[in-house]
Amino acid sequence: MKTLETLELTSAQLDALTEIGNIGAGHAATVLAQLLGERITITVPKVSIVPIARAHEIVGEIEAVVVGIYLRVYGDAPGSILYLFPRQSAMELVDIMVGRKVGTTSLLREYEQSALKEIGNILTGAFLYALANFTGLAMLPSVPAYAMDMAGAILGTVLLEMGTVSDYALAIETDFLTKHQESRGHFFLLPDPGTLDVLLNAIGVGPGCSK
Amino acid sequence: MFEVIRVGMGEYAIGRAPGQFLSLGLGSCVCVTFYDPALKLGGMVHIMLPDSGAARGAEINPTKFADTAIPFMISEMEKSGASRERLVVKMVGGAQMFSTLEKGHETIGARNVAAVEEALRQAGLTVTAKSVGGTSGKSVCFDLETGEIRIRTIQVESMPL
């Protein structure tokens, strides 16, 4: 099995992974917009292979307080999905979702946590649906898990599983913004070791595809 | 020269005063520090996983796994002149960040803590101070002048009952 350590992606493969991110995140953003009744903008996905020792720095400030919603993906292409929202943005999302005036929520109690987990559920469902249609692979999400803590501690914990095999992680990352420009979130798709080849093969650019 | 060195996941640092070693945003990882007060010589390692047997690759990074990191650090400290008898060992981390996913079986954080303690016991060392487990991420600052360890956690809100 190829580990990410020795991995070199061709530009066609990088494009394909970016497209996977685009299709999935685009679909998820549409659903989020419908859920919140607001326009959602997403950035072009960034595909990066990062050393695990430095991976938590891709979230910016390691000690920034963020809300993390984490789901496992089961099926043909196992992996992890992680949403990181700056704490302020998470509270604004809750306000918009439950119909409060933006700025009302100041505590993330069980009710608010549940609303954020539901956002993670809905986004992931939309993302995986689009990805499954595009690749023909079967994928199912776990129930979402919630944490509020330092960005580095949350991302680091999620990355641990990949760390057993490789010193590198592959992240497909998108930012999305509401019309309140300050409400933003990061989305990470972290394929398990081995899943990358499955994804690339499914769209015809993998090592198992002869030209 | 006073140096502040960041020790990332799976990394380590060894050095003499003056200076500080930092491990920021520890979740289920465990940070272990070693200090020889006579030399003001310190070492810090940021361990990610309990057991190097889980790594299938031929070449492993010894400071990533508890079972290999502890002997590696002790040997590196001794190479720098430290005496095993004087070593002061402290550990921080091993939290459970997400509650719902790991119900029913031991968390990776708890397994990391247990593996570090076992490796230290095999090396004949005991932990003099620790802050492990729980559900909060932590940042660790290790002052090589005093050997003192300081811990930061986030404090954003007080929860009403």
Side-chain angles (χ1 to χ4, degrees):
Chain A
M1 194 188 66
K2 185 153 68 174
T3 71
L4 288 169
E5 233 153 318
T6 54
L7 181 87
E8 277 182 24
L9 290 173
T10 65
S11 67
Q13 289 173 334
L14 270 178
D15 284 350
L17 289 172
T18 306
E19 192 52 23
I20 281 179
N22 237 334
I23 289 171
H27 211 78
T30 306
V31 171
L32 184 62
Q34 283 167 6
L35 178 75
L36 301 179
E38 289 217 5
R39 233 175 85 93
I40 304 286
T41 315
I42 62 164
T43 59
V44 176
K46 200 170 76 190
V47 178
S48 43
I49 297 165
V50 281
I52 287 204
R54 295 272 155 256
H56 46 316
E57 290 175 6
I58 56 183
V59 298
E61 196 57 43
I62 296 175
E63 292 183 296
V65 177
V66 299
V67 167
I69 305 294
Y70 171 50
L71 300 96
R72 286 285 302 158
V73 178
Y74 305 111
D76 294 336
S80 300
I81 284 179
L82 177 68
Y83 303 89
L84 291 180
F85 305 100
R87 183 168 168 271
Q88 198 59 39
S89 296
M91 294 194 294
E92 283 166 11
L93 278 177
V94 172
D95 284 336
I96 298 167
M97 186 179 173
V98 304
R100 294 175 183 159
K101 190 169 167 290
V102 170
T104 309
T105 301
S106 61
L107 275 179
L108 295 169
R109 283 182 263 197
E110 204 158 329
Y111 174 74
E112 287 81 7
Q113 294 179 14
S114 177
L116 288 165
K117 283 199 268 189
E118 194 48 31
I119 289 176
N121 248 338
I122 291 164
L123 287 176
T124 303
F127 182 89
L128 292 182
Y129 177 79
L131 190 54
N133 268 349
F134 183 53
T135 59
L137 299 168
M139 285 167 279
L140 278 175
S142 71
V143 295
Y146 169 96
M148 182 176 72
D149 216 298
M150 300 180 199
I154 290 177
L155 183 60
T157 299
V158 169
L159 285 172
L160 279 193
E161 199 52 46
M162 305 174 70
T164 54
V165 182
S166 173
D167 289 330
Y168 292 82
L170 177 120
I172 301 173
E173 182 194 359
T174 313
D175 287 358
F176 41 96
L177 304 162
T178 65
K179 71 176 181 199
H180 314 273
Q181 284 296 305
E182 34 327 328
S183 301
R184 58 173 63 230
H186 295 286
F187 166 85
F188 296 95
L189 172 66
L190 303 159
D192 280 1
T195 290
L196 189 61
D197 287 352
V198 175
L199 284 175
L200 292 173
N201 282 334
I203 51 178
V205 292
C209 304
S210 51
K211 287 281 145 56
Chain B
M1 198 185 77
F2 191 90
E3 262 195 299
V4 177
I5 295 172
R6 277 196 188 185
V7 181
M9 285 196 285
E11 294 182 335
Y12 77 100
I14 286 178
R16 284 173 195 253
Q20 287 179 345
F21 294 154
L22 298 178
S23 259
L24 302 183
L26 289 167
S28 48
C29 292
V30 174
C31 171
V32 186
T33 62
F34 301 83
Y35 191 64
D36 184 333
L39 307 177
K40 294 187 177 177
L41 171 74
M44 177 187 269
V45 62
H46 188 150
I47 294 167
M48 296 167 66
L49 292 159
D51 181 12
S52 60
R56 278 164 281 182
E59 221 177 298
I60 62 155
N61 169 9
T63 50
K64 206 154 98 175
F65 304 97
D67 62 335
T68 46
I70 299 302
F72 174 87
M73 287 302 289
I74 294 168
S75 131
E76 289 298 306
M77 290 291 291
E78 283 176 339
K79 273 186 218 164
S80 302
S83 137
R84 194 182 287 227
E85 287 66 44
R86 287 195 302 260
L87 277 188
V88 178
V89 186
K90 299 180 183 177
M91 67 191 286
V92 178
Q96 178 180 13
M97 302 305 297
F98 292 95
S99 53
T100 48
L101 281 192
E102 296 177 299
K103 252 178 205 146
H105 53 92
E106 215 183 4
T107 67
I108 186 96
R111 281 168 41 216
N112 276 337
V113 170
V116 166
E117 282 175 337
E118 173 58 22
L120 286 170
R121 194 189 58 76
Q122 280 179 16
L125 292 173
T126 47
V127 176
T128 54
K130 65 181 174 183
S131 170
V132 296
T135 56
S136 298
K138 295 183 181 111
S139 286
V140 182
C141 175
F142 179 15
D143 190 330
L144 297 173
E145 188 61 45
T146 60
E148 188 180 60
I149 307 286
R150 292 195 161 268
I151 303 169
R152 261 201 308 269
T153 54
I154 63 158
Q155 279 178 351
V156 285
E157 54 200 39
S158 50
M159 280 286 175
L161 251 175

